[in-house]
């Protein structure tokens, strides 16, 4: 009797693993749960400035106006793809865009990157501890959040913002929040 149990335990464990992995294979890995922070107040944060600047970025800077919070890095290829569109938003004074720089190997990298490609940000802070990235549920870069006047997160956009995404999704939401 004991020898049967001894052989059944690994078999039961194997069956449980097979079921677990079978369920996992039915999930679409491209669909991320982006709703976790929606309609929640953004957390308090106070980020250090980019090297050479006097001011960083805090939650208080973002509150009071509908704005975008863009998580980026100088190492990020998709961020470079998105960058000209963010510069266009700044030139057109379309919306304040706040930047959160993260995961830099060298603090001078982002300074050189902004000097080379332009600075679309109203203010930039550096998440040098990784806490802000975790608090906002960042899975990669770029990721951009629409934040309303009260500091409530209304939308999370994953990937580079394109004119189509701006005109079809982000701008209509921003216009509605500004009313």
């Amino acid at each position: 009797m004991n020898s049967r149990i001894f052989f059944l335990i690994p078999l039961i464990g194997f069956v449980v693993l097979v079921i677990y992995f079978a369920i996992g294979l039915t999930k679409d890995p491209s669909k991320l749960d982006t709703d976790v922070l929606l309609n929640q107040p953004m957390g308090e944060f106070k980020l250090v400035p980019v090297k050479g600047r006097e001011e960083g970025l805090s939650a208080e800077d973002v509150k009071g106006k509908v704005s975008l919070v863009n998580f980026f890095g100088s190492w990020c290829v998709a961020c470079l793809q998105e960058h000209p569109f963010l510069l266009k938003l700044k030139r057109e004074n379309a919306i304040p865009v706040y930047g959160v720089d993260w995961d830099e190997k060298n603090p001078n990298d982002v300074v050189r990157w902004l000097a080379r490609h332009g600075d679309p940000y109203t203010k930039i802070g550096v998440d040098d501890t990784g806490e802000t990235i975790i608090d906002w549920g960042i899975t990669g870069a770029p990721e951009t959040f629409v934040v309303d006047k009260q500091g409530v997160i209304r939308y999370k956009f994953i990937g580079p913002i394109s004119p189509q995404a701006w005109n079809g999704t982000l701008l209509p939401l921003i216009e509605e929040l500004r009313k």
Side-chain angles (χ1 to χ4, degrees):
M1 181 75 162
N2 287 339
S3 63
R4 284 186 181 173
I5 292 174
F6 181 73
F7 288 109
L8 283 177
I9 290 173
L11 179 63
I12 291 170
F14 178 75
V15 169
V16 168
L17 282 174
V18 167
I19 292 170
Y20 176 78
F21 287 122
I23 291 170
L25 289 173
T26 65
K27 306 281 184 188
D28 183 355
S30 67
K31 294 191 179 189
L32 299 172
D33 186 8
T34 60
D35 297 348
V36 175
L37 297 174
L38 293 186
N39 301 316
Q40 300 293 320
M42 65 179 168
E44 291 300 316
F45 63 93
K46 187 170 177 84
L47 301 174
V48 299
V50 168
K51 189 174 180 180
R53 297 190 186 203
E54 292 183 23
E55 291 186 89
L57 177 65
S58 71
E60 290 306 310
D61 295 323
V62 179
K63 292 177 184 173
K65 58 217 155 286
V66 177
S67 50
L68 300 179
V69 178
N70 177 256
F71 289 80
F72 77 102
S74 68
W75 47 267
C76 169
V77 175
C79 298
L80 184 57
Q81 177 187 354
E82 167 184 73
H83 205 72
F85 191 77
L86 295 180
L87 288 167
K88 179 180 183 282
L89 293 178
K90 183 176 185 174
R91 275 192 311 275
E92 295 174 355
N93 202 24
I95 190 167
V97 181
Y98 296 97
V100 178
D101 178 42
W102 65 289
D103 202 29
E104 296 293 349
K105 302 299 180 234
N106 179 334
N108 292 320
D109 290 347
V110 70
V111 175
R112 286 190 292 267
W113 193 80
L114 291 168
R116 182 179 312 125
H117 302 293
D119 183 354
Y121 301 107
T122 304
K123 281 189 170 187
I124 304 173
V126 177
D127 183 12
D128 56 355
T129 65
E131 289 178 36
T132 306
I133 298 304
I134 292 168
D135 290 346
W136 286 68
I138 301 301
T139 58
E143 288 189 20
T144 304
F145 294 81
V146 177
V147 180
D148 72 13
K149 297 174 189 175
Q150 291 75 38
V152 175
I153 297 170
R154 296 300 179 180
Y155 191 79
K156 178 179 183 179
F157 187 84
I158 298 173
I161 298 173
S162 65
Q164 295 80 11
W166 175 256
N167 291 321
T169 304
L170 297 171
L171 184 58
L173 173 61
I174 290 164
E175 288 173 343
E176 182 64 32
L177 292 173
R178 285 179 172 162
K179 290 181 183 177

